[in-house]
């Protein structure tokens, strides 16, 4: 295995996980990862040292955002039912039900909050790394993290989620739970 | 709680994510020990994070699809690169074929009136041809004053024009081609004076021979055509020549050759 492959390959499972969590469709998520890897291979010489993982996540995140911008023609409202309909996550096993609920709940958050929750909570990236990947200041990362987690908490506790409206930076990603 | 910054929501997240300095971690720990609400919050954040992780764990553990193998992506990229290189090479080849074809065609076409070998092809002669065409159009149509000096003063005409072009010239005799001299005139050309001799074939068709003083090597005959008017032009022995008429190309070539032969003869005469 060559050097480039040796440095990229170990991060592929994490990239797939992140893409799947955001897109919730196996094939589309892997398409995105493939785009990301192709770009990484072709721009490998432009990489300025630093952490390969953060670099790869930055590419993936940018691709996701630009892809989303192109396809985001859906309405601003998404309900649990919509999400349930979209995801189709299998519910055969007992524990899968919990997982499905978790991913469904995540899907109802604004995408920018989903990203932060995933990058920090799941991918274990630092706040600074997450800020670099998403391209916002650390303070913004912190506030998205806080909002996302509190929202998710209320959601999973079955409480009234949204009387506090999310002050989303882009109105197109503004969602409310009915 | 000890002194320093009060504990904030960001500290609770930092605590869950283990992103705090050891001192701050300790401070948060002390805080939640005495604040059950904060402790519950931290617990829920942690549970939430763990639930999210385990919900996605299956994706992480999945075998990576073949299409996401870096080596495969690199190979595909090289293949595409080679293919586009191949395309560029093919385009280059076509260009070469086209250029070669053009070169051969040029050789073929310019070789059609190969009366003699051209010594130089860098001629401003085309400009001469254009001026000759213009002069022909203006004066061949002239009924009352087609010439400045008519054939009755042929000797004067030749001397005058030779003087103005600063070299001895001779009026071509085209009677063998059926053209009778009418006379000639002096014209301004872009490179200096030019002489025009006008001929008539007896049916009203007019032919002009146009001369300019031209230093430089000989050229072969080149054909020029503008509407019904056609002719040949070339350079030889200190003159640029053009012979023009509304006649077919073969007749014009015969006339041009006759002029060439006669002017060739004049060379020894020039020292007269």
């Amino acid at each position: 295995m060559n050097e480039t492959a040796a440095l990229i390959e170990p991060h592929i499972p994490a990239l797939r996980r992140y893409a799947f969590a955001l897109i919730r469709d196996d094939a589309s998520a892997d398409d995105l990862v493939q785009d990301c890897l192709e770009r990484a291979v072709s721009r490998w010489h432009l990489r300025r040292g630093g952490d390969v993982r953060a670099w790869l996540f930055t590419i993936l995140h940018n691709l996701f955002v630009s892809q989303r911008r192109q396809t985001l023609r859906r309405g601003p409202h998404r309900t649990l039912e919509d999400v349930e309909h979209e995801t189709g996550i299998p519910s055969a096993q007992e524990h899968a039900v919990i997982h499905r609920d978790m991913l469904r709940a995540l899907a109802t958050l604004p995408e920018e909050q989903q990203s932060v929750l995933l990058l920090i909570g799941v991918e274990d990236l630092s706040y600074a790394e997450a800020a670099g990947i998403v391209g916002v200041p650390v303070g913004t990362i912190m506030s998205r993290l806080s909002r996302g987690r509190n929202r998710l908490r209320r959601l999973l506790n079955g409480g009234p989620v949204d009387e506090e409206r999310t002050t989303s930076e882009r109105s197109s990603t503004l969602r409310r739970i009915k | 709680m000890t002194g320093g910054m009060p504990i904030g929501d960001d500290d609770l997240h930092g605590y869950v994510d283990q992103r705090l300095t050891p001192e701050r971690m300790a401070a948060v720990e002390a805080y939640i020990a005495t604040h059950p609400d904060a402790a519950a919050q931290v617990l829920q954040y942690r549970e939430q994070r763990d639930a999210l992780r385990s919900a996605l764990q299956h994706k992480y553990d999945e075998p990576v699809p073949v299409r996401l193998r870096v080596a495969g992506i690199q190979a595909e990229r090289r293949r595409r690169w080679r293919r586009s290189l191949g395309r560029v090479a093919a385009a280059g080849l076509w260009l070469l074929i086209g250029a070669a074809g053009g070169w051969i065609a040029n050789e073929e076409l310019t070789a059609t009136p190969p009366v003699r070998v051209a010594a130089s092809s860098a001629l401003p002669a085309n400009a001469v041809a254009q001026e000759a065409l213009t002069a022909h159009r203006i004066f061949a149509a002239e009924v009352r004053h087609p010439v400045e000096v008519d054939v009755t003063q042929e000797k004067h005409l030749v001397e005058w024009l030779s003087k103005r072009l600063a070299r001895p010239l001779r009026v071509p005799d085209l009677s063998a081609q059926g053209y009778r001299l009418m006379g000639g005139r002096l014209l301004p050309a872009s490179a200096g004076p030019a002489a025009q001799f006008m001929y008539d074939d007896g049916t009203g068709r007019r032919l002009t021979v146009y001369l300019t003083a031209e230093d430089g090597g000989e050229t072969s005959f080149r054909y020029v055509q503008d509407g019904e008017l056609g002719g040949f032009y070339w350079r030889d022995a200190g003159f640029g020549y053009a012979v023009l008429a509304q006649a077919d190309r073969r007749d014009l070539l015969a006339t041009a050759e006759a002029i060439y032969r006669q002017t060739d003869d004049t060379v020894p005469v020039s020292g007269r």
Side-chain angles (χ1 to χ4, degrees):
Chain A
M1 190 155 58
N2 60 61
E3 189 220 3
T4 310
L7 286 168
I8 293 176
E9 291 268 359
H11 303 296
I12 294 178
L15 294 170
R16 293 184 72 225
R17 173 170 61 188
Y18 180 62
F20 173 78
L22 287 173
I23 298 175
R24 294 173 295 275
D25 176 81
D26 293 292
S28 306
D30 280 346
D31 286 347
L32 191 71
V33 173
Q34 190 175 346
D35 286 352
C36 165
L37 295 175
E38 277 165 10
R39 196 157 295 207
V41 165
S42 70
R43 311 259 165 102
W44 186 254
H45 60 287
L46 297 175
R47 194 177 57 92
R48 291 196 192 125
D51 186 33
V52 174
R53 184 173 66 142
W55 185 69
L56 290 170
F57 269 99
T58 307
I59 296 174
L60 185 65
H61 185 83
N62 289 342
L63 285 171
F64 172 72
V65 169
S66 66
Q67 193 185 74
R68 230 347 170 248
R69 228 171 254 149
Q70 286 162 13
T71 57
L72 216 140
R73 291 289 177 269
R74 277 175 271 164
H77 293 272
R78 248 167 24 143
T79 64
L80 271 174
E81 290 71 37
D82 292 336
V83 172
E84 192 170 6
H85 185 70
E86 280 169 28
T87 55
I89 294 165
S91 60
Q93 302 96 347
E94 193 59 30
H95 70 271
V97 178
I98 304 156
H99 292 166
R100 192 184 55 186
D101 290 347
M102 189 64 215
L103 293 180
R104 252 197 260 148
L106 179 75
T108 62
L109 300 184
E111 256 153 23
E112 59 202 31
Q113 291 178 17
Q114 292 180 41
S115 289
V116 174
L117 251 59
L118 291 164
L119 292 172
I120 289 166
V122 179
E123 304 307 334
D124 219 8
L125 288 151
S126 73
Y127 298 153
E129 282 173 323
I133 288 164
V134 178
V136 298
V138 175
T140 307
I141 291 292
M142 289 304 300
S143 82
R144 286 181 186 176
L145 181 68
S146 177
R147 270 204 220 109
R149 277 180 173 161
N150 283 312
R151 217 176 139 98
L152 208 51
R153 189 161 61 101
R154 285 193 292 273
L155 199 61
L156 294 170
N157 289 346
V161 176
D162 199 16
E163 261 39 77
E164 162 229 0
R165 279 232 344 222
T166 314
T167 46
S168 170
E169 278 151 39
R170 281 182 295 137
S171 63
S172 60
T173 58
L174 184 73
R175 280 167 210 142
R176 291 194 313 145
I177 306 302
K178 283 176 188 164
Chain B
M1 192 181 125
T2 55
M5 288 235 305
I7 300 298
D9 197 37
D10 51 347
D11 287 311
L12 299 184
H13 290 289
Y15 180 74
V16 170
D17 298 319
Q18 308 195 332
R19 296 287 170 194
L20 302 178
T21 59
E23 299 79 52
R24 201 69 186 161
M25 287 294 276
V28 174
E29 211 147 328
Y31 179 81
I32 60 180
T34 54
H35 295 77
D37 282 0
Q41 207 173 332
V42 164
L43 188 66
Q44 285 190 323
Y45 288 159
R46 199 172 273 158
E47 281 173 356
Q48 190 188 107
R49 190 194 59 184
D50 293 346
L52 202 52
R53 280 189 185 183
S54 64
L56 291 164
Q57 190 61 36
H58 74 282
K59 206 66 203 174
Y60 189 85
D61 293 338
E62 242 177 42
V64 173
V66 176
R67 67 172 168 133
L68 298 184
R69 281 285 177 216
V70 173
I73 287 166
Q74 286 171 323
E76 169 65 18
R77 194 173 126 74
R78 278 193 295 272
R79 204 174 59 79
R80 269 203 306 259
W81 173 244
R82 267 200 302 276
R83 206 167 48 203
S84 62
L85 259 190
R87 255 186 240 121
V88 169
L93 189 64
W94 283 117
L95 203 66
L96 205 65
I97 290 168
W103 187 68
I104 290 164
N106 181 51
E107 288 291 293
E108 288 290 318
L109 291 175
T110 52
T112 358
V115 183
R116 62 217 154 94
V117 178
S120 161
S121 59
L123 74 170
N126 191 39
V128 173
Q130 289 308 318
E131 288 177 333
L133 282 168
T134 304
H136 183 100
R137 288 200 183 286
I138 293 167
F139 295 110
E142 183 68 52
V143 178
R144 291 187 62 186
H145 305 290
V147 294
E148 208 170 354
V149 176
D150 73 27
V151 69
T152 56
Q153 299 171 64
E154 187 177 353
K155 188 167 177 293
H156 164 67
L157 175 69
V158 169
E159 282 170 3
W160 171 53
L161 293 176
S162 294
K163 194 175 159 199
R164 295 310 305 269
L165 268 65
R167 56 196 67 189
L169 57 77
R170 182 175 148 181
V171 185
D173 178 4
L174 300 177
S175 52
Q177 282 72 41
Y179 289 104
R180 183 183 56 86
L181 182 69
M182 297 169 71
R185 65 171 65 240
L186 182 70
L187 295 168
S190 56
Q196 183 191 53
F197 297 115
M198 191 166 299
Y199 299 79
D200 181 273
D201 74 346
T203 70
R205 189 208 308 248
R206 284 172 177 178
L207 177 143
T208 59
V209 174
Y210 184 93
L211 290 100
T212 55
E214 291 266 5
D215 292 311
E218 292 186 1
T219 68
S220 57
F221 290 161
R222 287 165 199 238
Y223 186 66
V224 63
Q225 182 152 16
D226 183 12
E228 291 186 348
L229 185 61
F232 283 92
Y233 62 96
W234 68 96
R235 192 163 64 201
D236 177 44
F239 290 101
Y241 292 90
V243 55
L244 304 164
Q246 289 187 13
D248 74 44
R249 184 174 169 147
R250 206 180 47 216
D251 290 348
L252 285 165
L253 180 60
T255 309
E257 285 174 327
I259 295 167
Y260 175 68
R261 278 194 302 273
Q262 289 176 31
T263 52
D264 208 34
D265 293 342
T266 58
V267 176
V269 180
S270 64
R272 121 188 98 108

